[in-house]
Amino acid sequence: MGFFDLFKKKKTEEPAAPQGSTAAPETESPEVATPEAVTEQEAEAKQHEADRRELEAGLEKTKTGFFSKLARAVAGRSTVDADVLDDLEEVLITSDVGVDTTVKIIRRIEERVARDKYMNTSELQSILREEIALLMEESNRKEEDFGIEVKPGMPYVMMVVGVNGAGKTTTIGKLAAQLTKAGRKVYIGAADTFRAAAIDQLAVWAERAGATMIRQEMGSDPASVAFDTLKSAVANGAEVVLIDTAGRLHNKIGLMNELTKIRNVMAKVIPDAPHEVMLVLDGSTGQNAFEQAKQFTQATQVTSLTITKLDGTAKGGVVIGISDQFHIPVRYIGVGEGVDQLKMFDRKEFVKALFGDEKN
């Protein structure tokens, strides 16, 4: 008997499968999170918690000041009546929320009181957080690339405006650092050519961030610096360009002409540039920040806001009022000197940091 005969015999001797039976299907093993995935999720959760705590710490002075005033306003009261609303109005105004926004909040609470007929003071905090969150403009930016909508082909151009001392140069430096950390190629244009200190400070930040800075001699035409920056950025494949501008409120006409010239010159290199005009405001100046916002929004088309220095002031209510009054989304807030202490603004997280979790 040959090899093939033996093989045939063995196949014949194998028991046949019973009729109607089917072979057991191959089952896929349940998906199990890999150690790498678990570690990544844990890292994200830890980072989110750290960001939350840092935001709370940065707004601690505002929170303490606001709630101490609110506690005094409702002390000994059981219902929300006209007296409570009068005191609440004073609390909001003295917390730098602004008169117009305060009136809007009070009117909405009055409507709810009238509708519900009875409202106790313990509900007031919950209502306030709801109304404040609704008043603020939502930024609607993805966390990727620190909220900058980088697109292939041409660099995203942001022109940064604001008065001297508001934290404009520092904000540009921190933003550049976040973008290079995300792997983006960043160019910075030193178009504030009227202050040597501003150019030198920006150079330090650019080096620290790993960004490329384009500069000219002090007193040069700011529009010329912006033009050179965009030309170089396009030639070298930059993905984001940040243009610093002079922070002088010398007069509205002069400011408007200067910013308009910069915009027009940049559009010659990239037709739709700048893609964003970000106004940087110092939160610690309270009502002065409103005036600055008014001046700059009249001088140029501001599309986003950054509020700085909120960690050192009890005037954080200015974020609420400015966002509401100017209908411009707050993009970033500064809650400390560190590079990582420029935070993407989230109105829900902001309200949560001020009021605590809903259950509280």
Side-chain angles (χ1 to χ4, degrees):
M1 188 180 289
F3 172 80
F4 289 106
D5 292 318
L6 281 171
F7 178 77
K8 228 189 275 183
K9 185 169 183 290
K10 186 175 180 183
K11 287 290 284 181
T12 305
E13 289 173 355
E14 284 180 2
Q19 283 189 339
S21 68
T22 57
E26 290 186 10
T27 57
E28 293 183 4
S29 56
E31 288 187 12
V32 179
T34 63
E36 291 83 1
V38 172
T39 303
E40 188 175 332
Q41 290 169 5
E42 288 176 349
E44 286 180 1
K46 285 180 180 178
Q47 184 59 52
H48 181 75
E49 178 64 18
D51 287 342
R52 186 184 67 80
R53 290 183 180 277
E54 195 165 49
L55 179 60
E56 287 181 352
L59 295 174
E60 185 61 35
K61 289 187 178 181
T62 294
K63 181 178 180 179
T64 302
F66 179 76
F67 281 109
S68 63
K69 292 174 185 175
L70 184 61
R72 289 196 297 270
V74 300
R77 317 279 183 85
S78 58
T79 61
V80 177
D81 55 20
D83 290 337
V84 169
L85 290 175
D86 284 344
D87 289 342
L88 175 60
E89 185 174 38
E90 184 181 343
V91 168
L92 292 168
I93 289 173
T94 56
S95 297
D96 286 282
V97 172
V99 174
D100 292 339
T101 302
T102 293
V103 169
K104 197 179 290 186
I105 293 170
I106 296 298
R107 188 184 300 125
R108 291 187 180 187
I109 294 175
E110 283 175 336
E111 289 170 359
R112 293 179 71 155
V113 171
R115 186 176 66 243
D116 299 340
K117 302 303 179 188
Y118 177 87
M119 185 183 294
N120 60 48
T121 53
S122 63
E123 295 176 282
L124 192 56
Q125 181 173 319
S126 177
I127 294 163
L128 270 174
R129 66 182 292 151
E130 287 175 22
E131 295 299 341
I132 286 171
L134 287 170
L135 282 174
M136 289 189 290
E137 294 285 319
E138 186 62 89
S139 183
N140 292 323
R141 295 281 183 164
K142 296 178 181 177
E143 291 189 13
E144 186 181 5
D145 294 321
F146 209 58
I148 300 293
E149 296 176 354
V150 179
K151 295 178 182 178
M154 281 289 177
Y156 184 92
V157 181
M158 178 189 285
M159 184 166 79
V160 185
V161 301
V163 301
N164 296 333
K168 183 163 48 73
T169 304
T170 302
T171 297
I172 291 171
K174 290 179 179 180
L175 182 53
Q178 292 287 354
L179 288 164
T180 55
K181 182 180 176 182
R184 296 302 181 179
K185 190 172 184 178
V186 181
Y187 268 56
I188 298 173
D192 181 358
T193 59
F194 298 94
R195 294 187 305 138
I199 298 173
D200 293 340
Q201 184 188 6
L202 200 59
V204 171
W205 272 110
E207 184 177 359
R208 189 185 302 174
T212 301
M213 190 179 98
I214 304 298
R215 62 189 293 177
Q216 291 183 10
E217 294 297 320
M218 185 180 165
S220 301
D221 180 9
S224 174
V225 178
F227 182 84
D228 287 352
T229 303
L230 264 63
K231 289 287 283 185
S232 182
V234 170
N236 291 283
E239 294 164 291
V240 181
V241 177
L242 307 173
I243 302 292
D244 191 13
T245 60
R248 303 171 303 139
L249 278 178
H250 39 300
N251 62 68
K252 290 181 198 174
I253 296 174
L255 177 68
M256 187 181 295
N257 290 342
E258 188 173 289
L259 295 178
T260 299
K261 185 179 178 183
I262 293 172
R263 293 183 70 128
N264 291 342
V265 164
M266 288 196 292
K268 291 179 180 179
V269 184
I270 301 174
D272 54 349
H275 304 102
E276 182 172 350
V277 178
M278 185 169 72
L279 171 61
V280 178
L281 299 168
D282 180 350
S284 68
T285 62
Q287 292 304 297
N288 283 340
F290 278 87
E291 183 58 29
Q292 291 168 25
K294 183 180 177 182
Q295 296 277 352
F296 276 97
T297 52
Q298 288 175 351
T300 190
Q301 186 182 355
V302 175
T303 57
S304 67
L305 301 170
T306 290
I307 316 291
T308 65
K309 307 180 187 181
L310 290 176
D311 55 309
T313 180
K315 299 180 179 181
V318 73
V319 176
I320 303 163
I322 287 178
S323 180
D324 169 51
Q325 291 301 304
F326 293 94
H327 302 289
I328 299 171
V330 177
R331 181 77 97 95
Y332 306 109
I333 55 174
V335 293
E337 293 297 322
V339 170
D340 294 332
Q341 289 177 311
L342 180 70
K343 302 291 182 184
M344 287 184 63
F345 180 75
D346 182 311
R347 62 179 180 177
K348 292 178 183 175
E349 291 297 326
F350 180 83
V351 169
K352 192 184 291 185
L354 277 184
F355 289 91
D357 290 321
E358 191 76 59
K359 60 188 176 184
N360 294 335

